């Protein structure tokens, strides 16, 4: 399968590794129970690549694609995230992913959906040390509750391997609107409902 369409311009920074590590803490804000990785060769292995920055060189846990070189991650967060940086680390071989396509707030995407226009496409370079930082568009990724990462191709191998995905940004708790209203109506007061037809005056709630 030709892979030439996967190579192009690179957009990344070489940052100070020590400072970088402190900022890459969004792995702790991922809803791991609901994280999905499609086309992983070993069930559940996709979750293992979201780990502390100091474990990024750990080669014992990684995800490898199964049927072809594509991998698709559906990543729900436990709140809202302003995404500021991404690191993708693999081995220094052709199994390293060559491109990353990002989709914002589109839960449960499948490979049938990847023909959609991505919110951002990033050309990747081989990074076995976990030190190349890619910058998401700040305006686009300023309020992310769900991030989809699609790796469509690698540098020419039959399968893709990823050892570490780092996410940097700011996290704020999510607001779950409507929960209290639902609980109200779950236990209606019948007397209130009977009197509704008498109450046509607009109420001003203080």
């Amino acid at each position: 399968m030709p892979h030439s369409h996967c190579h192009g311009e690179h957009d990344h920074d070489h940052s100070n590794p020590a400072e970088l590590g402190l900022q890459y803490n969004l792995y702790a804000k991922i809803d791991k129970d609901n994280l999905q990785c499609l086309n992983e060769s070993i069930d559940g292995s996709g979750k293992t690549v979201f780990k502390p920055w100091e474990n990024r060189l750990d080669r014992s846990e990684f995800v490898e694609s199964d049927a072809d070189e594509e991998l698709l991650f559906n990543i729900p967060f436990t709140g809202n995230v302003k995404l500021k940086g991404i690191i993708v680390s693999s081995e220094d071989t052709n199994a390293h992913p060559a491109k990353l396509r990002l989709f914002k707030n589109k839960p449960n995407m499948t490979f049938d959906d990847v023909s959609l226009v991505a919110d951002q496409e990033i050309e990747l370079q081989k990074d076995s040390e976990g030190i190349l930082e890619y910058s998401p568009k700040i305006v686009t990724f300023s309020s992310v509750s769900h991030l989809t990462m699609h790796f469509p191709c690698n540098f020419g191998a039959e399968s893709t391997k990823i050892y570490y995905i780092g996410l940097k940004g700011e996290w704020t708790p999510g607001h779950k609107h409507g929960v209290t209203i639902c609980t109200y109506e779950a236990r209606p007061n019948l007397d209130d409902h009977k009197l509704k037809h008498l109450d046509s005056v607009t109420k001003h709630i203080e």
Side-chain angles (χ1 to χ4, degrees):
M1 190 180 293
H3 293 264
S4 56
H5 64 284
C6 278
H7 308 299
E9 307 253 329
H10 304 293
D11 174 27
H12 66 269
D13 297 314
H14 295 261
S15 301
N16 181 320
E19 292 176 11
L20 208 59
L22 294 173
Q23 301 169 14
Y24 271 82
N25 54 8
L26 281 183
Y27 70 90
K29 304 301 184 183
I30 294 172
D31 179 1
K32 286 279 188 76
D33 290 340
N34 292 304
L35 185 150
Q36 299 172 319
C37 179
L38 306 188
N39 198 36
E40 56 187 3
S41 58
I42 299 172
D43 192 34
S45 58
K47 298 180 182 185
T48 67
V49 302
F50 298 93
K51 52 194 172 189
W53 188 82
E54 57 268 22
N55 296 345
R56 72 194 185 287
L57 300 179
D58 177 4
R59 296 292 187 247
S60 64
E61 292 184 317
F62 60 91
V63 62
E64 185 171 9
S65 63
D66 188 15
D68 54 27
E69 73 272 34
E70 287 189 78
L71 282 169
L72 180 68
F73 292 87
N74 283 310
I75 307 160
F77 293 105
T78 57
N80 286 315
V81 164
K82 182 185 288 186
L83 190 61
K84 294 184 170 181
I86 296 171
I87 291 176
V88 178
S89 180
S90 178
E91 56 196 25
D92 191 12
T93 69
N94 288 339
H96 195 296
K99 181 185 280 191
L100 167 59
R101 304 174 72 239
L102 298 174
F103 297 88
K104 169 191 169 183
N105 298 343
K106 291 185 173 67
N108 303 313
M109 282 185 69
T110 69
F111 288 111
D112 293 335
D113 304 315
V114 296
S115 57
L116 296 170
V117 176
D119 291 303
Q120 186 172 354
E121 291 198 5
I122 299 172
E123 303 290 341
L124 302 178
Q125 273 189 281
K126 291 179 184 176
D127 177 16
S128 59
E129 299 296 314
I131 53 173
L132 294 186
E133 182 177 30
Y134 301 93
S135 302
K137 298 173 186 170
I138 295 292
V139 175
T140 306
F141 295 96
S142 62
S143 181
V144 183
S145 58
H146 186 285
L147 180 68
T148 301
M149 304 179 82
H150 175 221
F151 296 92
C153 54
N154 55 32
F155 287 92
E158 289 186 7
S159 62
T160 296
K161 275 187 183 178
I162 298 175
Y163 288 95
Y164 171 75
I165 295 177
L167 301 173
K168 177 178 80 172
E170 297 171 15
W171 176 90
T172 52
H175 301 290
K176 299 197 179 297
H177 295 294
V179 176
T180 44
I181 297 165
C182 296
T183 347
Y184 261 80
E185 278 306 304
R187 297 166 60 191
N189 183 326
L190 293 178
D191 290 336
D192 284 352
H193 284 260
K194 284 176 191 167
L195 294 172
K196 268 189 179 168
H197 65 285
L198 301 175
D199 185 15
S200 58
V201 183
T202 306
K203 291 182 181 175
H204 295 279
I205 298 169
E206 296 295 328

